[in-house]
Amino acid sequence: MNHSELLETILSEPRPLSPRQREAVVSNGRHIRVIAGAGAGKTETLTRRIVKLLLVDGVAPNEIVAFTFTEKAAQSMKSRIYERLRNLGGDEVCARIGEMYIGTIHAFCFRLLHDYFNYGAYDALDENQEMAFLLRFGWSLHLKGGRSYSENCELFMQSLNVAYAEMIPDNTLERRAHPFYRAKRHYEELLDSHRRLTFNRMIALAVHHLQEKPETLGHVRHLIVDEYQDINRAQERLIQLIGQSGSIFIVGDPRQTIYQFRGSDAYCFEEFVRRYPDSETIPIAQNRRSVPLIVTLANDFADHFEREHYDHLEAVREEGGGVYLGEFSSNLAEARWIADQIEQYVGQGHCSFGDIGILFRSVNTSGPVFIDEFRRRRIPFIVGGKVGLFRRSEVQAVGKLMAWLAREGFFQQNSFSRQSVHGDALVDIALSDWHDAVPEVQLPDDIGNILHDWKVAVLRGDYHHFTAVYQELLTLLGFHQLDPDNREHAVIMANLGRFGTLLTDYETANRLGGRSLHWDADTTGLCWFMNTYAMGAYEEHSGDDIRGIDAVQLMTIHQAKGLEWPLVFVPSVVSGRFPSRMAGSQKEWLIPRELFDVLRYEGDIEGEKKLMYVGLTRAKDVLVVSYFTHMNGRRKGLSDFITEDLATGMMTRLTDRHMLPPHTLFLQGDPDEIQSFSAGELILYGRCPFMYRLNRLWGFQPGLTDYLGYGNALHFCMRVAAERIKEGYSPVSAVASAVDAHFFLPFADSGRQAKLKDDAKRKLIQFAREHEDDLRRIREVETRIEYPMHRATVVGKIDVILHDGEGIEIRDYKSSDIVTTQDEVAMQLRLYARGLTMLGESVTRGSVAYLEDASIAHVAVGGNELQEAEGIAERYIDGIMRGIFTPCCGGACERCDYGNICRYRRN
């Protein structure tokens, strides 16, 4: 078909876009601002614009960068793009889609710093890992604030994030907040010495380097930014730098700005049209998600906003559904009533558990009575919010037992409670919690003595890392008796894996720099880490992580942004809870308040209204807002939202004497998303599907060693050496200088580091001498690849591409042949070769270079081999997507990091 026919197909299929959506897709303006209301189909609009750029305008994939707020949103967008490209015959473009970036701003900055600005040896810290790092090193920062040490650390991190997000110049901080400035500089030096990057510093560094070298991203012609109302000032500057030589297309809705406490600045959305006078604004008001009753209620509520006023949403769906206001005598009665409705709707076949969302202002405040009630009734549920993990009985159990290891171990009842359990009482309560979580697990009568022996062994130093300690504990608690195919057990096992991540976060921070474990001190440190930070910070595994678990979602409205359910409950809308009594409360900062828009970070009633608006618009068919009049025998006042802002007159009133009327729910789920799998993931699944489940889906971690990172260090040195050879260095001098400058092991002490560095230098020089011609043939290093296969995409990074006559040779570096077998390496190379052939490359040879002994093994990459590898990969992908995690039962047990907790292991 010609271009005009192709464009019309893009705009019309699989369903016609609205006139405003069409306008956004086809606009050729350089600066475009789209105001997309809740449920307006913005992902579909963005998807079709990208497809139009690729197929109609002939834009190369590497000329497009698209920012999404979450990785899930990126995966959804990428899935739809692949689907459209395939349906429209864009196979050639589809094969090159990996050259286009779709993902979060933070991940983009990490890649940018890695690829262009010499941060290839750095790892990223998420928020929890950063706090573990800060708790270890914060003493040297001399943090002040008149608080406890952990609170001082949190105050410093919050102030630091403000400094980065608001781009407050260092010279201003030095002059106006010198103690903070001094601590900030020292903290950055600590991060650099351990090769660590934090999320907000990544953006600051990316902005700094792009301002110095703006030509770095000169190839980007189209920058697309979703959820623009949630960006901060530093991200705004980054977007300006990336888009300065091309077009910028932004989508947002200031009515849904709910992350101000993280620095989100809705003013950036308004300022866009002033910064770019040539910009055009396109409003998309059609709501395709919710029934008219819900849309009308949300519109009326938004009219009470003081600042943002936009055109009302227009309901596209037909009449149906319902909006309800529930009044209950107590918070317990409210939880019981909602549990009754869930059992009725699921029992009568109206929906599944996973079609129901319960959204709170705070899970920590309002969630416990629901959790207790659902647990009592065996209603499957998943808890979101930062306190979700420690609301689980199984996590309470293992947390208390790990705290018991400390000399004066204790465990708070929750993150806000001053009541705590101490000493040997921890064991009895932990075992009670474990029984509540998994009453079917049979423990020995002398389990108390067995746990005592475990504690003695830990403190004696019998274990090499916290992972081994934890796996032994799970074994003693009967982890082998849990059935991974049981829905409730699967959730429990996933949460126990999540707790293992907590342990790894803590241990990683404490072993950086080669520090040895000191069990007496480190178990005490873990106890304080859990009680002062982790209890209020770690989330439970999400439904996406667990995959296929049909469970009610309990989460904060902040966490629900971007999600939707046919049936939504918004409970506990009472005075002091929603809006939060903390909104607008003055906080302590280490930066003078006049240096930034402090009120935005401290919140206000307007922000609380926006949060309520987001909660209302998550519902597709049925919405129930509810409140209670008493708690613990005391009268509770109604929220101002109920008495002043919510149009209760259009809501049907219910009490605990009523049942929720039956409604037809729109249960059509999203089409199967195209998931991405690295070649390494597929190889892990092939090695043992159950090992894959434990590690990739449930998050169980391997143990830390001082040798960890050795292979990555060698890879990075070889990458740097290849770049220097292109600059004219001899292979030997290139390798030697690369090792001298960049070899780094995060967990090795200075003596071990020096020994391993000398060893690496010797081996890599030997490799360079024996394979000098190969090093001179290098065309590319660390080439990213992504291509479609069997309802998925395969992604990876090719270590080296070499010139090979009329074709190319692909090579993978391995530090040894112990961890990965020759067959597994061959599979990986063949998957890479398959992707390159789709791009039109002629792959004539494949090889693996073992840096340990300078040997090279060749891998056949002919048509038959590639076809066979593709068939195997398709079977693996199918197995993962269908949830088939049958254990290998012996084949890979010797190389498994999870043997102690695997019920299927063969000795």
Side-chain angles (χ1 to χ4, degrees), residues 440-572:
E440 55 272 38
V441 170
Q442 300 297 313
L443 298 179
D445 293 336
D446 61 342
I447 184 62
N449 293 331
I450 293 172
L451 289 172
H452 181 269
D453 292 341
W454 165 75
K455 177 177 180 177
V456 170
V458 172
L459 298 180
R460 190 171 56 215
D462 289 2
Y463 300 94
H464 296 299
H465 40 67
F466 271 95
T467 295
V469 170
Y470 183 52
Q471 288 190 6
E472 181 66 15
L473 173 62
L474 291 179
T475 301
L476 298 178
L477 292 176
F479 186 82
H480 291 165
Q481 298 178 45
L482 298 179
D483 179 5
D485 295 323
N486 176 293
R487 180 173 60 193
E488 294 181 10
H489 286 190
V491 173
I492 289 169
M493 296 170 87
N495 287 328
L496 292 171
R498 178 71 172 143
F499 184 82
T501 301
L502 180 159
L503 295 178
T504 299
D505 289 347
Y506 168 77
E507 184 177 5
T508 297
N510 279 272
R511 294 184 65 177
L512 285 171
R515 179 184 173 276
S516 300
L517 280 170
H518 303 284
W519 286 104
D520 188 60
D522 288 333
T523 53
T524 298
L526 173 65
C527 178
W528 282 93
F529 178 66
M530 286 192 294
N531 283 283
T532 62
Y533 174 74
M535 194 175 294
Y538 278 79
E539 298 179 6
E540 183 179 350
H541 262 297
S542 71
D544 293 330
D545 295 325
I546 299 171
R547 290 187 194 171
I549 300 299
D550 180 24
V552 178
Q553 310 273 315
L554 284 73
M555 63 178 64
T556 66
I557 298 176
H558 284 108
Q559 193 178 33
K561 180 75 163 60
L563 304 178
E564 60 184 38
W565 294 267
L567 173 56
V568 168
F569 296 92
V570 183
S572 306

Side-chain angles (χ1 to χ4, degrees), residues 736-779:
S737 62
V739 173
D740 286 339
H742 297 287
F743 183 87
F744 177 77
L745 294 179
F747 305 108
D749 61 30
S750 57
R752 178 76 165 152
Q753 182 106 219
K755 182 179 181 302
L756 289 171
K757 184 174 183 177
D758 289 342
D759 185 60
K761 188 173 182 180
R762 176 180 55 79
K763 290 173 179 176
L764 294 186
I765 286 176
Q766 179 187 353
F767 182 88
R769 284 174 176 157
E770 295 188 19
H771 304 287
E772 181 173 340
D773 290 343
D774 284 357
L775 293 177
R776 293 187 185 279
R777 290 194 294 122
I778 292 176
R779 189 185 84 178

Side-chain angles (χ1 to χ4, degrees), residues 21 24-25 31-47 49-50 66-69 77 223-231 239 248-254 256-257 268-269 272 280-284 561:
Q21 285 179 304
V25 170
H31 299 104
I32 304 166
R33 183 182 71 155
V34 175
I35 303 172
K42 63 186 176 75
T43 301
E44 190 68 21
T45 304
L46 292 172
T47 296
R49 179 170 177 83
I50 292 173
F67 290 149
T68 59
F69 194 67
M77 187 184 299
L223 175 61
I224 296 169
V225 186
D226 193 10
E227 304 287 6
Y228 196 83
Q229 80 280 349
D230 288 325
I231 67 167
I239 289 165
I248 304 176
F249 182 100
I250 70 168
V251 181
D253 181 7
Q256 299 186 70
T257 306
C268 295
F269 192 80
F272 185 86
E280 58 180 296
T281 295
I282 304 171
I284 303 177
K561 180 75 163 60

Side-chain angles (χ1 to χ4, degrees), residues 50 128 160 258 305 375 378 441 524 657 778 810 901:
I50 292 173
N128 293 329
L160 183 68
I258 61 173
F305 291 173
R375 185 181 292 126
R378 313 294 285 188
V441 170
T524 298
R657 296 189 301 273
I778 292 176
I810 59 173
I901 58 173

Side-chain angles (χ1 to χ4, degrees), residues 560-820:
K561 180 75 163 60
L563 304 178
E564 60 184 38
W565 294 267
L567 173 56
V568 168
F569 296 92
V570 183
S572 306
V573 185
V574 297
S575 177
R577 288 197 178 181
F578 204 179
S580 169
R581 66 167 57 91
M582 301 302 294
S585 298
Q586 192 170 109
K587 298 179 181 178
E588 183 177 2
W589 302 95
L590 300 179
I591 303 171
R593 298 172 65 84
E594 61 271 18
L595 291 184
F596 65 105
D597 183 7
V598 66
L599 298 181
R600 176 157 44 86
Y601 286 86
E602 294 176 345
D604 56 16
I605 295 301
E606 183 83 347
E608 294 291 298
K609 288 181 180 179
K610 291 182 178 181
L611 196 60
M612 184 65 172
Y613 176 81
V614 169
L616 299 177
T617 54
R618 299 310 96 195
K620 295 167 63 176
D621 301 292
V622 178
L623 170 68
V624 182
V625 178
S626 62
Y627 61 90
F628 50 85
T629 57
H630 293 80
M631 187 175 73
N632 298 327
R634 296 183 178 181
R635 182 80 181 175
K636 293 295 294 185
L638 270 64
S639 164
D640 291 343
F641 292 165
I642 302 295
T643 58
E644 299 177 12
D645 302 299
L646 201 62
T648 56
M650 68 176 70
M651 306 175 75
T652 301
R653 291 183 174 268
L654 299 171
T655 69
D656 48 13
R657 296 189 301 273
H658 304 96
M659 293 298 286
L660 186 64
H663 288 279
T664 300
L665 302 183
F666 186 70
L667 302 181
Q668 178 181 337
D670 293 331
D672 290 338
E673 290 188 353
I674 295 176
Q675 299 176 24
S676 294
F677 300 97
S678 69
E681 281 186 276
L682 296 178
I683 289 168
L684 177 61
Y685 181 84
R687 186 181 300 169
C688 175
F690 189 65
M691 186 195 306
Y692 177 95
R693 190 177 199 181
L694 286 169
N695 177 244
R696 298 291 179 170
L697 299 189
W698 291 346
F700 283 94
Q701 303 290 309
L704 293 181
T705 69
D706 58 0
Y707 194 77
L708 191 65
Y710 182 75
N712 289 336
L714 295 187
H715 274 71
F716 184 60
C717 289
M718 292 300 290
R719 170 191 163 182
V720 173
E723 293 168 350
R724 293 184 176 182
I725 290 170
K726 291 182 178 180
E727 295 171 0
Y729 283 70
S730 72
V732 170
S733 63
V735 165
S737 62
V739 173
D740 286 339
H742 297 287
F743 183 87
F744 177 77
L745 294 179
F747 305 108
D749 61 30
S750 57
R752 178 76 165 152
Q753 182 106 219
K755 182 179 181 302
L756 289 171
K757 184 174 183 177
D758 289 342
D759 185 60
K761 188 173 182 180
R762 176 180 55 79
K763 290 173 179 176
L764 294 186
I765 286 176
Q766 179 187 353
F767 182 88
R769 284 174 176 157
E770 295 188 19
H771 304 287
E772 181 173 340
D773 290 343
D774 284 357
L775 293 177
R776 293 187 185 279
R777 290 194 294 122
I778 292 176
R779 189 185 84 178
E780 298 174 34
V781 294
E782 294 195 356
T783 303
R784 288 188 177 86
I785 189 168
E786 179 175 357
Y787 64 95
M789 177 189 291
H790 189 60
R791 297 184 298 122
T793 65
V794 176
V795 300
K797 186 185 291 185
I798 304 169
D799 286 344
V800 178
I801 296 178
L802 304 93
H803 293 285
D804 186 44
E806 296 182 357
I808 59 173
E809 176 180 350
I810 59 173
R811 175 169 293 175
D812 200 55
Y813 290 135
K814 296 294 180 186
S815 56
S816 72
D817 60 357
I818 297 175
V819 177
T820 308

Side-chain angles (χ1 to χ4, degrees), residues 266-420:
Y267 186 66
C268 295
F269 192 80
E270 300 302 319
E271 197 175 50
F272 185 86
V273 295
R274 290 185 286 274
R275 184 177 299 279
Y276 303 109
D278 66 334
S279 65
E280 58 180 296
T281 295
I282 304 171
I284 303 177
Q286 292 78 18
N287 179 292
R288 299 175 179 274
R289 173 189 298 153
S290 306
V291 296
L293 281 171
I294 295 173
V295 173
T296 301
L297 184 72
N299 283 334
D300 187 89
F301 188 82
D303 287 341
H304 289 79
F305 291 173
E306 294 180 4
R307 293 189 289 273
E308 275 83 20
H309 294 283
Y310 294 93
D311 293 342
H312 276 183
L313 300 176
E314 301 170 10
V316 173
R317 292 182 57 188
E318 300 295 329
E319 294 289 337
V323 291
Y324 297 90
L325 180 66
E327 177 183 306
F328 304 100
S329 58
S330 70
N331 59 331
L332 297 176
E334 181 183 50
R336 291 172 186 145
W337 184 86
I338 289 177
D340 287 341
Q341 311 319 304
I342 291 171
E343 289 181 333
Q344 172 190 258
Y345 259 64
V346 175
Q348 295 179 0
H350 296 302
C351 64
S352 300
F353 291 111
D355 296 315
I356 302 170
I358 303 180
L359 310 183
F360 302 99
R361 176 60 181 87
S362 166
V363 171
N364 191 52
T365 303
S366 302
V369 292
F370 288 86
I371 293 169
D372 292 342
E373 186 67 20
F374 289 4
R375 185 181 292 126
R376 185 179 67 81
R377 300 195 191 196
R378 313 294 285 188
I379 293 175
F381 64 93
I382 296 171
V383 184
K386 287 192 171 183
V387 296
L389 186 64
F390 281 85
R391 287 298 180 191
R392 286 291 186 175
S393 294
E394 62 272 14
V395 174
Q396 288 268 328
V398 294
K400 287 167 184 169
L401 289 171
M402 293 300 293
W404 176 58
L405 293 173
R407 185 182 297 275
E408 297 180 0
F410 67 98
F411 198 87
Q412 292 184 174
Q413 298 295 75
N414 59 62
S415 59
F416 294 107
S417 173
R418 295 183 179 274
Q419 298 179 344
S420 57

